[in-house]
Amino acid sequence: MKMPLHPSILMAQESPTEKSIHDGLSARLSGFVLEDLLPHRRPMLLIGEILAVDSVTAVTLSKADRTWPMAGPDGVSPLIFVELAAQTAGVCNGWERIRKQGPESDQMGWLVGVKRAEFHVDLLPFDLPVTARARNTLAFEKFREVTSQLHHKDHLLAEVVLQLYQA
């Protein structure tokens, strides 16, 4: 059974990231923007901030917006969690591409299949901070399997497993 988000949760602030982690990430990403890591552009670029990234995992922060695809009068369909998971995986894999091939390397896209998706809410309210964590759990040549969890604070919103193939 899906649990609705209680209104008091909506008013809570996202817990802060440790300063040392954020400073280290800022140093590594200095001079890069999201568009360097992902082929997406607004309004399809849904990620607001990268909280952590390495060659296996990425953590991002986003807030549901009225301009997002699948937005209705009261919020966004939970199907959007699939795209947030895919873009967070793209941050990780984009970072690895830049690290191995350089910042001018081709941003070829990925074909994405949804192996499994479980949504624990019926609607994503506008302006709710969502932390997405995507981890490459299997990597073989141009194939990846990515496991993602999407949270608001301690509340699990969705779990998504993606299969990616680099085009």
Side-chain angles (χ1 to χ4, degrees), residues 2-44:
K2 296 178 185 174
M3 295 177 31
L5 290 175
H6 190 273
S8 64
I9 294 170
L10 303 180
M11 301 308 293
Q13 295 296 315
E14 190 71 14
S15 57
T17 307
E18 271 185 55
K19 184 176 179 5
S20 61
I21 293 172
H22 192 268
D23 289 349
L25 178 64
S26 295
R28 282 192 297 164
L29 293 176
S30 179
F32 293 108
V33 294
L34 277 167
E35 289 84 351
D36 293 329
L37 302 172
L38 297 171
H40 300 75
R41 300 297 177 262
R42 304 267 180 228
M44 242 348 255

Side-chain angles (χ1 to χ4, degrees), residues 66 68 70-77 123 126:
R66 285 170 169 72
W68 280 14
M70 297 181 277
D74 300 319
V76 183
S77 166
L123 188 71
F126 294 122

Side-chain angles (χ1 to χ4, degrees), residues 71-138:
D74 300 319
V76 183
S77 166
L79 285 172
I80 202 70
F81 293 131
V82 172
E83 183 60 25
L84 285 172
Q87 288 188 23
T88 302
V91 166
C92 173
N93 292 304
W95 173 251
E96 185 67 2
R97 172 187 50 81
I98 287 174
R99 193 180 71 74
K100 287 183 175 180
Q101 301 173 16
E104 302 302 320
S105 57
D106 187 12
Q107 287 189 2
M108 294 188 324
W110 294 77
L111 298 173
V112 178
V114 180
K115 183 175 182 179
R116 182 175 61 85
E118 293 181 39
F119 308 124
H120 303 289
V121 294
D122 292 318
L123 188 71
L124 176 60
F126 294 122
D127 299 319
L128 185 77
V130 175
T131 302
R133 176 181 300 275
R135 180 173 182 80
N136 288 327
T137 51
L138 174 68

